Amino acid sequence: ENSPLKRRVGRPSLSGDSDDLGSPKRRHPMTAEEARNKRLSNLYNAVVNHVDDDGHIPRDTFMILPSKDEYPDYYEVIQEPIDLTMIKERMDTNKYQSHQAMVADLRLMFNNARRYNEEDSQVFRDADTLDRVVKRRLKSLGPYASCPPGM
């Protein structure tokens, strides 16, 4: 069996080991920050891209907070309002030191929706659905190490 080092000496790869720019892919492990950012994007995208079997897109309710004019009582009932736009902004500006911090914000958002809305409402059901999506994605991502092995 050829090792990757032997195979790369003097010959271009035939297996497509390059990115869109034609440069060789990195072979070093991701940094802890890169691993965290990849995990954050993966979780966020799982929520944003989820579509129910009937074609309903639950994230729409959570993209922006309810209007203060239309739902003034929301801001009396909910102490820490948060939406997906705020979560994305925090993600993009490296405010999350771990994926757990982002999961805490997602859960806060779902819990806010369940607290304010009736149990049989679409918003409540959407919160439950997306909460399950996050749990499933966390399970599929597996355990998280703050540093890759060997670092």
Side-chain angles (χ1 to χ4, degrees):
E1 187 83 8
N2 285 343
S3 76
L5 290 175
K6 287 181 183 172
R7 182 177 56 86
R8 297 196 43 92
V9 173
R11 306 186 287 226
S13 168
L14 299 175
S15 61
D17 276 348
S18 62
D19 60 25
D20 295 341
L21 304 173
S23 60
K25 279 191 178 173
R26 291 185 309 191
R27 295 198 177 273
H28 66 79
M30 281 189 278
T31 65
E33 185 180 356
E34 288 169 332
R36 181 192 69 226
N37 291 344
K38 187 172 182 180
R39 209 171 176 88
L40 292 176
S41 292
N42 196 313
L43 281 168
Y44 180 82
N45 290 334
V47 169
V48 170
N49 296 329
H50 178 78
V51 180
D52 287 343
D53 293 338
D54 64 0
H56 173 70
I57 301 171
R59 66 124 196 274
D60 289 348
T61 307
F62 299 99
M63 289 310 295
I64 55 169
L65 290 171
S67 159
K68 287 183 181 173
D69 294 334
E70 292 179 45
Y71 302 96
D73 63 325
Y74 180 86
Y75 296 90
E76 294 165 18
V77 174
I78 301 303
Q79 302 304 309
E80 295 181 78
I82 190 165
D83 61 29
L84 282 170
T85 302
M86 295 162 70
I87 290 172
K88 176 85 166 98
E89 171 71 16
R90 290 176 185 179
M91 191 174 86
D92 290 345
T93 56
N94 292 316
K95 296 283 190 281
Y96 293 121
Q97 295 305 306
S98 69
H99 76 281
Q100 291 95 331
M102 182 176 158
V103 169
D105 275 354
L106 288 166
R107 296 237 162 95
L108 172 64
M109 183 178 69
F110 304 145
N111 289 334
N112 287 349
R114 288 187 284 243
R115 182 164 183 210
Y116 182 76
N117 294 279
E118 299 290 326
E119 206 168 319
D120 62 347
S121 69
Q122 185 64 55
V123 175
F124 194 104
R125 288 192 302 269
D126 287 348
D128 280 350
T129 296
L130 292 178
D131 202 2
R132 282 192 302 274
V133 166
V134 168
K135 286 176 183 155
R136 273 197 311 268
R137 182 53 54 105
L138 282 171
K139 208 173 196 173
S140 75
L141 287 173
Y144 176 73
S146 57
C147 278
M151 297 285 295

